[in-house]
Amino acid sequence: MIRQFLQLIGIAFLTAGAVLYFTTAPLSSESKGNAHKDKEISELQQQLADVKAALADAQRPSQASDETSAVPESPKKSDQVIKMILTLSSGDTSKDASDSLEKSGIIKSATEFESYLTKNNLSGKIQIGEHEVDSSMNFAALAKELTTVKQ
């Protein structure tokens, strides 16, 4: 009688363990996938916010007066100044920064800017963080901004 009772308890424990194992294992895998998706969503939301801010800056009317001599010379097709916040992360290179600046219209040629950085031994000194740049800046001013440590 006691032997049968212990066998019944053993079977109950094995059954309970199997049920717990099979019901919680998919949940843990699912939660890992959801955590990864949540991280991707938050990164995309941050990128969207950055793009919205850059677009808002670009759509603001230029506050430049008739005194255009104060603005550094730069070969631009239009007189509108493009402003943006360039966010550099760990692992980003000066090439990544140059490409982003060219795509956003801040500079005309990523290759020329990259050559300038290399020529002046600045290509390895790009700092992570948010850098406020605009199309009125010359290569020296852009390089100074990108190599300045951000708090």
Side-chain angles (χ1 to χ4, degrees), residues 2-140:
I2 294 177
R3 184 175 182 178
Q4 289 176 342
F5 180 69
L6 290 176
Q7 285 177 341
L8 183 62
I9 290 175
I11 291 171
F13 280 126
L14 284 174
T15 305
V19 168
L20 287 174
Y21 175 77
F22 288 112
T23 58
T24 59
L27 291 178
S28 64
S29 299
E30 215 173 89
S31 66
K32 288 179 186 174
N34 286 341
H36 180 66
K37 287 180 184 178
D38 289 343
K39 182 179 177 185
E40 284 184 54
I41 289 171
S42 68
E43 288 174 359
L44 288 173
Q45 288 174 334
Q46 179 61 38
Q47 289 176 352
L48 179 60
D50 291 344
V51 169
K52 283 182 179 179
L55 181 61
D57 286 342
Q59 290 178 339
R60 285 191 193 127
S62 177
Q63 296 180 356
S65 62
D66 292 336
E67 301 173 15
T68 56
S69 61
V71 177
E73 289 184 27
S74 57
K76 300 280 182 266
K77 291 181 180 177
S78 68
D79 292 334
Q80 185 177 5
V81 175
I82 300 170
K83 295 180 180 183
M84 73 172 283
I85 295 179
L86 177 64
T87 303
L88 298 175
S89 304
S90 179
D92 285 346
T93 63
S94 58
K95 175 141 180 50
D96 298 329
S98 299
D99 290 342
S100 295
L101 291 171
E102 182 181 29
K103 286 177 186 174
S104 64
I106 301 294
I107 59 174
K108 225 175 167 181
S109 170
T111 307
E112 288 178 15
F113 185 61
E114 181 65 22
S115 296
Y116 173 84
L117 292 173
T118 303
K119 179 182 171 186
N120 292 291
N121 296 321
L122 298 171
S123 61
K125 297 179 182 178
I126 301 296
Q127 299 295 315
I128 61 173
E130 294 184 353
H131 301 276
E132 192 171 320
V133 295
D134 65 63
S135 58
S136 68
M137 298 170 85
N138 60 19
F139 284 175

